[in-house]
């Protein structure tokens, strides 16, 4: 079972991450409401979770990666805006 997880890898000092934060939180709420567990939205602080960030080869912030329940990594390189982020989440709803 399980579901796909869309993860934001970030660092607290990163300006781009700070700007993305409210959009990401809103995305999490919308995904919960509309996709009801088919996709999870998560965030990982790379200043805390060094090993996890190394495992996913995070080199810059924010890095957005969708992990499928089968273990595939799907990097997100679209606009960091509400609609494209949600469309990507919906496309990958398990």
């Amino acid at each position: 079972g399980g579901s796909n997880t869309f993860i934001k890898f970030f660092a607290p000092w990163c300006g781009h991450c700070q700007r993305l934060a409210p959009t990401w939180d809103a995305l999490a709420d919308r995904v919960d409401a509309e996709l009801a567990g088919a996709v999870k939205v998560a965030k990982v602080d790379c200043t805390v979770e060094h090993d996890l960030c190394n495992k996913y080869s995070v080199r810059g912030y924010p890095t957005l990666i969708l992990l499928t329940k089968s273990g595939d990594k799907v990097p997100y390189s679209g606009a960091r805006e509400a609609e494209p982020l949600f469309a990507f989440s919906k496309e990958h709803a398990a």
Side-chain angles (χ1 to χ4, degrees):
S3 53
N4 296 340
T5 307
F6 194 11
I7 306 174
K8 172 183 75 167
F9 293 94
F10 74 102
W13 46 259
C14 154
H16 291 294
C17 303
Q18 290 159 9
R19 283 192 288 282
L20 178 61
T23 305
W24 195 256
D25 291 342
L27 174 70
D29 290 344
R30 186 174 174 194
V31 164
D32 279 351
E34 296 185 33
L35 302 178
V39 177
K40 290 190 182 73
V41 174
K43 51 193 172 188
V44 172
D45 181 343
C46 289
T47 64
V48 177
E49 304 285 350
H50 302 282
D51 294 347
L52 198 56
C53 295
N54 286 338
K55 178 181 173 185
Y56 292 110
S57 307
V58 175
R59 296 281 173 267
Y61 308 113
T63 292
L64 307 179
I65 300 173
L66 185 123
L67 295 179
T68 68
K69 54 187 176 184
S70 59
D72 294 328
K73 291 189 293 190
V74 185
Y76 175 82
S77 54
R80 293 174 187 152
E81 292 160 13
E83 285 308 317
L85 285 166
F86 183 75
F88 180 82
S89 304
K90 195 169 182 177
E91 186 186 327
H92 291 90

